[in-house]
Amino acid sequence: MSDPLQPSLLAGFDLGSTLPGTPKTAEQLPVARVVIDSALPHLDRPFDYLVPAELDAFAQPGVRVKVRFGGQELAGFLSERLEHGEPGVKLQPLGAVVSPEVVLSAPVLATARAVAERYAGTLWDVLRSAVPPRMARVEKETGTAAEATETNPPETNPPAADPGPVDPRVPNRHADDAPVGDQHGLHPHSVDSRDLGPSHVDPLHSPLLAEYDGGAHFAAELAAGNSPRAVLSAVPNRPGHWPALLLEAALAANESGRGALIVVPDARDLARLCTLLDERIGAGNYVRLSAEDGQTPRYRNFLRVARGNTNLVVGTRNAAFAPVKDLGLAIIWDDADTSHAEPRAPYHHAREVLLLRSEIENAALLVAAPGRSAEAQRLIRSNWALELRASRALLRAHAPRVIAASDEFEQNRDPLLHAARLPAAAWREAKRALERGPVLVQVARTGFMPALRCERCRTSARCTKCTGPLALDDARGAPSCGWCGLVAAGWSCAECGFMRLRAASIGADRTVEELGRAFPNVNVVAATGAKPLHHVPDAPALIVATPGAEPVAEHGYAAVLLLDGDRMMSREGLRTGEEVLNRWMGAAQLARGHEGAPGMPGGGTVVVAGEPSEPMRALVRFDAGAYADAELGERRVLGLPPAVRTALVRGPAATADKFVAALGFGDDVRLHGPVLEGEGEHRWLLFYSYAQGPAVTRKLRTLRASFSAAKEPILAIRVDPDGIL
DNA sequence: AGCACGCCGACT
DNA sequence: GTCGGCGTGCTC
């Protein structure tokens, strides 16, 4: 498709052809401030350019641009238009406006800045995950930027914050060939809460939220245009409960005329949520944003949001930056799930992104989960958010009966059950439950390295060099040290000299085999990350699943067996207990209630096997909040995260040491290190209070910038790293 | 990463 | 006196 608009956009202002006299620049707001694509920390600041007259109309805040910078052409985003640049700086002309689409809204930019600051990273690193890569063809498809002009006529000279993408002073050729509205079913209509009808949005019609203490008030506040903040642990035993609950909150926010955003951990949860949304409000009335949808669909959906064609966005972690117009409510589901953490620098977590964003945009925030993260508990403790609590009566009505099978575990003499590491109580319950419906068996992920013990005396196997715990490496099948990685060939027990380790590392597949023998004539299937299974029928079967991959049963599981608690608990780490409880709660939530509800079968039972532990007691009481609160209290006493904040600095020994010394922190920042890591690398850990967080990360950023300017090797900095302690 | 500017040494 | 080596630092 030949497009007469593109050449003029892309050619931009040609540097070489300096015409007689000064090249014409835009008459109004001739200076464009640009965020450039640079990996160098000391260039992580805006630079100003002159706007050539011919780019004036397109050079609006939020568009992608190309600029000449230090002899090379760089990509960037135009952040604002100004009357003057810094005095005494010679400005270069803007190179080109890549596309008139406004892809970076002012509040999203402000959020990205706050995230970069909070994680001591560069703005561009954050923007890379906030704005999906451009797919040029998608922009031409249907409903161009001109559509927005039609529905939302901009003023003669849009102010900086106005998202109106195209200045009407320039004839827009798109206006002629692009039909307004939609002929291909992509944009049925702009979704305004008014279109949805009152039956969906009346706060009195938030029955699920209203079941929680303060929930009805929360919904009413949202509908009234206020911005409350809340943490909620979802009541178990109601398949499909959480998507409906979150939708109620989102619709309440929509009713106030504001947009809503729901962020879920992974594609599976997103599929569940979308199924409900399709059913309740229709596929065209919300937008999903997920990196797993592929580049082109992702950008297509992103554009729908950027053009303001929706007021409900759902997606995975990057959707936390979705440019929802007038955001009224941000929701994060299951914030304890590790998928919410971005795996690339600056490793930001979707919960923290939404926290910052809700403050910047004055939006409401809802942190909802099957369990409770220590961070979410902190929000309650500090009175930043209120807790929407399920009453004990509500819990009792819906929670399954939880049985802790700790004592009989070791006395289990039945070889079949022993092989399947099934306590007799678990076997009994499963046998009974199979007469009434499906049974879920949660086993540890294969990648979850269990600590090994001597097969004869049960002494835990330790590394001969560093006394770290030995674990089985799936790839090699040989035990190796979990700390130093040394392969323990020819291991023998330090206590009794026995040479065999207790068999461990049983994946879901082997559990399927063992259970098949323990339960003849029962259908046994596996559901793992590699072989996902979304739904299971309401028929008797054993479903073996790894944490996070549990399929949903239509009317809940008759029983849920949590088998690998000890293996999961044996992992070293500060947050192991919390993680294990969250995994258990996630699975236990899929069980039927013990009492049953109208139209729902009862008799649901959860059997948790393993040594007695705090997480196990919390599961029995079905109270993740109390557990998180106790943990947080303990961490505060010990000065450990997330009661305090941490930062990690790693790099070549000399540079890292010099850097930490130059930080010049006083006693209020605890310093641990250096720890030798790899080839001549040093690792330092910093512990500091939340109050000092901004000051510490600011110092980390500025010092890193000056080190980078001085051509020192770039240091790895991670703020609040997970899984280090 | 490139490009300017600068200080010093070599050559017309 | 002018040209050009590449070393340090800035890049709107």
Side-chain angles (χ1 to χ4, degrees):
Chain A
M1 171 172 145
S2 82
D3 186 339
L5 183 63
Q6 285 312 97
S8 72
L9 274 175
L10 289 171
F13 183 74
D14 187 356
L15 265 183
S17 67
T18 310
L19 300 163
T22 339
K24 317 138 263 154
T25 53
E27 282 173 29
Q28 301 194 325
L29 304 172
V31 175
R33 187 150 282 178
V34 175
V35 177
I36 55 163
D37 171 8
S38 171
L40 298 171
H42 61 284
L43 299 183
D44 186 30
R45 61 191 171 90
F47 289 88
D48 292 342
Y49 290 83
L50 282 176
V51 180
E54 60 267 47
L55 292 183
D56 187 15
F58 304 105
Q60 295 299 322
V63 300
R64 287 179 192 280
V65 293
K66 286 217 183 309
V67 291
R68 196 118 184 107
F69 184 85
Q72 50 187 337
E73 177 133 287
L74 289 187
F77 291 108
L78 198 159
S79 67
E80 51 187 321
R81 290 281 296 265
L82 304 165
E83 202 53 60
H84 310 283
E86 291 282 307
V89 186
K90 271 205 297 272
L91 301 187
Q92 295 281 314
L94 203 61
V97 173
V98 175
S99 142
E101 296 284 352
V102 174
V103 289
L104 181 61
S105 73
V108 170
L109 173 59
T111 303
R113 283 217 161 95
V115 170
E117 190 63 53
R118 148 88 234 241
Y119 285 92
T122 64
L123 176 58
W124 194 265
D125 276 346
V126 180
L127 291 177
R128 206 176 35 196
S129 54
V131 184
R134 174 173 186 249
M135 297 285 124
R137 338 179 42 156
V138 173
E139 293 178 0
K140 299 181 192 165
E141 280 174 359
T142 170
T144 63
E147 185 189 344
T149 312
E150 290 292 329
T151 55
N152 180 22
E155 296 126 42
T156 325
N157 196 12
D162 191 315
V166 171
D167 190 310
R169 284 174 296 174
V170 168
N172 188 329
R173 294 181 181 89
H174 275 260
D176 297 325
D177 58 33
V180 175
D182 171 59
Q183 300 178 327
H184 305 90
L186 285 171
H187 305 109
H189 56 280
S190 103
V191 182
D192 190 306
S193 58
R194 279 165 297 223
D195 299 337
L196 294 172
S199 65
H200 290 285
V201 295
D202 187 337
L204 296 176
H205 287 83
S206 300
L208 297 175
L209 265 172
E211 288 180 337
Y212 295 80
D213 291 349
H217 187 242
F218 183 74
E221 291 271 295
L222 288 174
N226 294 325
S227 300
R229 304 181 282 225
V231 174
L232 175 156
S233 290
V235 170
N237 164 43
R238 301 155 110 193
H241 170 65
W242 68 263
L245 182 79
L246 304 189
L247 176 61
E248 276 184 9
L251 290 178
N254 283 165
E255 203 206 357
S256 68
R258 300 175 296 171
L261 170 60
I262 305 177
V263 179
V264 300
D266 52 35
R268 198 187 55 134
D269 283 331
L270 188 57
R272 270 177 207 161
L273 182 56
C274 289
T275 302
L276 179 97
L277 293 175
D278 290 350
E279 197 182 298
R280 295 280 184 88
I281 65 171
N285 291 326
Y286 71 95
V287 173
R288 65 177 266 152
L289 289 179
S290 167
E292 296 189 30
D293 289 343
Q295 302 258 59
T296 303
R298 182 184 173 200
Y299 190 62
R300 182 178 296 127
N301 291 339
F302 177 84
L303 277 188
R304 282 187 61 194
V305 182
R307 290 168 179 174
N309 290 334
T310 188
N311 64 354
L312 177 55
V313 174
V314 301
T316 47
R317 60 173 180 267
N318 289 158
F321 293 99
V324 179
K325 199 172 48 177
D326 191 13
L327 185 70
L329 169 67
I331 302 176
I332 183 164
W333 169 249
D334 200 1
D335 65 305
D337 191 306
T338 51
S339 306
H340 279 304
E342 172 68 39
R344 296 177 304 175
Y347 310 99
H348 46 278
H349 191 289
R351 179 195 50 243
E352 304 302 315
V353 175
L354 292 181
L355 230 75
L356 292 165
R357 190 168 177 191
S358 70
E359 293 202 313
I360 285 166
E361 294 202 55
N362 189 28
L365 184 75
L366 176 60
V367 179
R372 177 75 49 85
S373 70
E375 285 86 352
Q377 189 62 29
R378 210 196 117 253
L379 300 180
I380 297 170
R381 265 205 179 204
S382 63
N383 288 322
W384 191 86
L386 55 113
E387 183 178 14
L388 303 185
R389 249 184 117 75
S391 68
R392 291 313 298 178
L394 181 65
L395 265 180
R396 213 173 312 115
H398 293 285
R401 186 166 55 109
V402 181
I403 300 171
S406 347
D407 13 0
E408 1 174 18
F409 197 54
E410 295 298 335
Q411 317 155 4
N412 197 344
R413 288 286 166 257
D414 185 325
L416 271 182
L417 302 189
H418 187 79
R421 62 202 189 291
L422 206 61
W427 183 80
R428 266 196 318 271
E429 287 300 331
K431 193 93 182 148
R432 266 219 313 245
L434 279 168
E435 291 166 17
R436 292 173 284 122
V439 171
L440 176 68
V441 183
Q442 188 197 57
V443 298
R445 219 178 315 128
T446 326
F448 220 86
M449 301 220 293
L452 297 178
R453 290 159 184 267
C454 168
E455 192 177 270
R456 188 162 69 193
C457 73
R458 297 285 154 89
T459 302
S460 67
R462 303 238 142 217
C463 176
T464 47
K465 199 169 136 198
C466 75
T467 73
L470 291 189
L472 267 187
D473 185 333
D474 292 308
R476 281 177 304 201
S480 60
C481 174
W483 291 354
C484 72
L486 184 75
V487 176
W491 173 89
S492 69
C493 178
E495 283 297 315
C496 72
F498 203 67
M499 307 253 320
R500 283 221 308 273
L501 290 157
R502 189 173 166 187
S505 193
I506 303 171
D509 289 333
R510 217 179 114 203
T511 309
V512 167
E513 284 172 36
E514 309 286 6
L515 285 174
R517 268 178 239 134
F519 295 91
N521 306 322
V522 175
N523 188 19
V524 187
V525 290
T528 59
K531 282 182 289 182
L533 191 63
H534 283 193
H535 264 270
V536 297
D538 220 9
L542 278 166
I543 318 298
V544 181
T546 48
E550 299 93 348
V552 169
E554 204 167 330
H555 292 108
Y557 289 97
V560 170
L561 313 182
L562 306 168
L563 291 193
D564 284 332
D566 287 345
R567 273 177 67 198
M568 296 199 281
M569 289 292 282
S570 71
R571 205 179 65 149
E572 296 289 324
L574 189 56
R575 314 198 64 160
T576 303
E578 188 185 328
E579 281 168 14
V580 170
L581 180 58
N582 278 320
R583 293 197 162 113
W584 281 344
M585 295 289 274
Q589 232 209 359
L590 304 173
R592 293 172 187 170
H594 181 54
E595 292 181 7
M600 292 277 276
T605 305
V606 172
V607 183
V608 52
E611 308 280 338
S613 61
E614 278 309 317
M616 199 184 274
R617 279 183 276 277
L619 179 71
V620 170
R621 293 198 321 272
F622 241 97
D623 197 344
Y627 177 80
D629 201 57
E631 277 283 290
L632 194 59
E634 214 168 288
R635 309 268 180 81
R636 180 157 302 172
V637 172
L638 298 171
L640 289 171
V644 299
R645 285 185 53 186
T646 57
L648 177 154
V649 175
R650 179 165 42 83
T655 309
D657 294 356
K658 192 156 58 145
F659 184 87
V660 171
L663 283 170
F665 288 133
D667 295 342
D668 41 2
V669 175
R670 255 162 60 216
L671 213 58
H672 289 237
V675 174
L676 207 61
E677 201 172 78
E679 286 288 296
E681 299 230 311
H682 274 179
R683 187 181 85 184
W684 292 83
L685 276 175
L686 283 63
F687 292 71
Y688 47 95
S689 69
Y690 275 78
Q692 286 164 318
V696 171
T697 51
R698 199 176 315 122
K699 185 73 193 172
L700 287 170
R701 285 187 90 205
T702 52
L703 194 62
R704 175 149 73 167
S706 49
F707 267 56
S708 149
K711 293 203 161 46
E712 291 273 3
I714 304 268
L715 293 166
I717 294 180
R718 284 185 73 159
V719 172
D720 293 334
D722 218 8
I724 301 289
L725 299 167

